[in-house]
Amino acid sequence: MRTAVRAVIPALLVLILAAPLAAQKVETIDGVRVVHNEKGGLWGKAPKVSLELVRKIGDIDTEDENLAFNYPSDVAVDAAGNLYVLDSANARIQKFGPDGKYLATIGRKGQGPGEFMMPGDIDIDRDGNLVVSDSSQSRIHVIIDGGRDARSLVMKDERLYGLRCLGPGGFIARASTYSLPMRDRPAKKAAEMRLFRTLDNEGRITAAFGELTDFGEPLTNATGNAAVFDLGDRDAIYIAFNAQNRVEKYSPDGKLLWRADRPLNYGTEVRKKGKFETSGGGVSMSEPEMNKCSAGIAVDGRGRAWVVTLDRQLRKEEQVQTSMTSIGGPGGARSVSVKTTGNTDVRTTDAFKLEIFDPDGVLLGEVPLTHFVDAIRVFGDRLFLIDRERGVTVYEYRIVEK
């Protein structure tokens, strides 16, 4: 009998030690998987990945005009490993080799073929062409090798943001969350709006999906529902909300697969609602006050979602404001300028970190960061973080699996 007990106890210990620690509560709400993650995730204080800095590309103080970015908004990597930096306010794309060496400039400011005004997003389609979204002109440029503008699609219905290319062809983009009352029409209700649009190869909208949270006021709805997204395997859509404790995954046809939250070191309540008033033909607006939860999301080859989030809110001395001014001109031409004010000399901070979620919404762990981050992309084991407003730098890291 004693021998049997001794044999059972070690077996039970093996099972207990092998089982993952419970780090989330999972429930089903209205048929949707909802994951309430615990602080630190499954990995706790022993993350199974780390980031190794490879290089920094671009700097606000550089004297090399090829590295002198102005509001770099997005990056893409082609099959040969070349890096394309969308240098938005300079209306150009800077191409770098896998070793970080400058190779070429694509595009310039203007409204002709291969010309941009204020492009916001870049991706590579199934044929290896660059696809650039220029929402200021409501255009999508498809650029073939060598920088020639193969075709330009005009978005007549609405302006879209965050454009990404779908595997079978076509595109997906984020719709505007703004719907303000005008003299001839009321504002749309949150229940009437959708967050995302899918488009065919000609730029025609084919579907809309993604529900908004109703904060009870149009400006607060606009800010509170702002989101970033990326595509994973088979065009699954991963979404992180800027001002909500809400990470989601959708199927390619727009079905919500899961929703996840996690403990934050700050609240997500609306501290002050926005305000929109019209009087005597004039308009006054005040933005709502809400904490920022997420700044970017990217999906790696294992289906893990890397979310840029804040460990704490930025202090007053760390905050900057960026304004964009668009001016119409003869023949419909317009000029777009960008200005950042605040303490841009501050380049380092402990406010940001990366959260890593598995394909089912479970928080695996966290990786602390040491600088400001406004966007993220992942290609293979190459992870890129963009500081648009302060150092105007692209940080390239290597994902190291432990």
Side-chain angles (χ1 to χ4, degrees), residues 75-348:
V75 299
V77 173
D78 65 18
N82 297 309
L83 172 67
Y84 300 84
V85 177
L86 187 60
D87 190 10
S88 293
N90 284 329
R92 63 181 184 175
I93 301 167
Q94 298 296 86
K95 181 179 179 179
F96 300 89
D99 58 356
K101 181 180 179 181
Y102 167 77
L103 298 177
T105 295
I106 300 171
R108 61 182 181 181
K109 189 175 288 291
Q111 292 184 294
E115 295 179 339
F116 315 120
M117 195 58 64
M118 184 68 188
D121 313 289
I122 188 171
D123 205 7
I124 295 178
D125 68 13
R126 60 180 178 177
D127 299 319
N129 301 319
L130 287 174
V131 176
V132 181
S133 172
D134 191 349
S135 61
S136 63
Q137 298 188 87
S138 297
R139 291 165 66 183
I140 299 173
H141 300 263
V142 180
I143 302 171
I144 63 174
D145 187 37
R148 183 167 63 86
D149 198 344
R151 58 195 178 105
S152 181
L153 308 176
V154 179
M155 304 299 300
K156 297 180 179 179
D157 298 324
E158 59 182 308
R159 289 187 180 181
L160 300 173
Y161 309 88
L163 187 93
R164 293 290 178 258
C165 298
L166 296 169
F171 315 99
I172 183 172
R174 177 175 55 82
S176 174
T177 52
Y178 280 84
S179 177
L180 302 178
M182 300 298 177
R183 184 172 299 176
D184 58 340
R185 61 174 173 79
K188 285 185 178 179
K189 297 179 180 179
E192 300 171 333
M193 301 173 67
R194 292 294 177 265
L195 288 168
F196 294 92
R197 307 284 188 268
T198 55
L199 306 94
D200 63 18
N201 282 321
E202 300 305 318
R204 293 183 293 258
I205 295 174
T206 57
F209 67 93
E211 294 185 359
L212 281 71
T213 297
D214 190 354
F215 293 93
E217 186 280 323
L219 273 177
T220 312
N221 284 341
T223 300
N225 287 290
V228 285
F229 77 100
D230 194 23
L231 299 180
D233 185 44
R234 299 181 181 178
D235 289 336
I237 305 127
Y238 293 73
I239 302 167
F241 287 79
N242 297 127
Q244 296 184 51
N245 188 355
R246 181 177 165 193
V247 180
E248 296 179 340
K249 181 180 179 180
Y250 284 81
S251 66
D253 61 359
K255 179 182 178 182
L256 180 59
L257 300 177
W258 53 254
R259 175 179 292 129
D261 55 46
R262 69 285 201 204
L264 300 171
N265 296 331
Y266 42 84
T268 58
E269 69 281 357
V270 180
R271 299 196 306 274
K272 182 180 179 181
K273 283 193 174 184
K275 194 173 184 181
F276 181 90
E277 292 181 332
T278 58
S279 177
V283 175
S284 65
M285 293 189 297
S286 60
E287 291 291 325
E289 294 181 7
M290 306 176 72
N291 285 332
K292 191 170 187 178
C293 301
S294 300
I297 188 170
V299 185
D300 65 19
R302 301 186 182 201
R304 299 177 301 197
W306 296 68
V307 177
V308 179
T309 189
L310 283 89
D311 199 47
R312 61 170 174 81
Q313 295 298 296
L314 296 182
R315 302 185 182 101
K316 186 176 181 179
E317 64 270 18
E318 295 174 310
Q319 297 175 10
V320 298
Q321 291 78 41
T322 296
S323 59
M324 297 186 187
T325 304
S326 177
I327 302 174
R334 61 172 69 218
S335 171
V336 180
S337 60
V338 177
K339 183 179 181 180
T340 299
T341 57
N343 191 358
T344 57
D345 291 333
V346 176
R347 309 288 174 78
T348 60

Side-chain angles (χ1 to χ4, degrees), residues 1-15:
M1 179 62 68
R2 290 179 181 175
T3 303
V5 170
R6 284 198 298 269
V8 171
I9 290 176
L12 289 174
L13 287 174
V14 169
L15 289 174

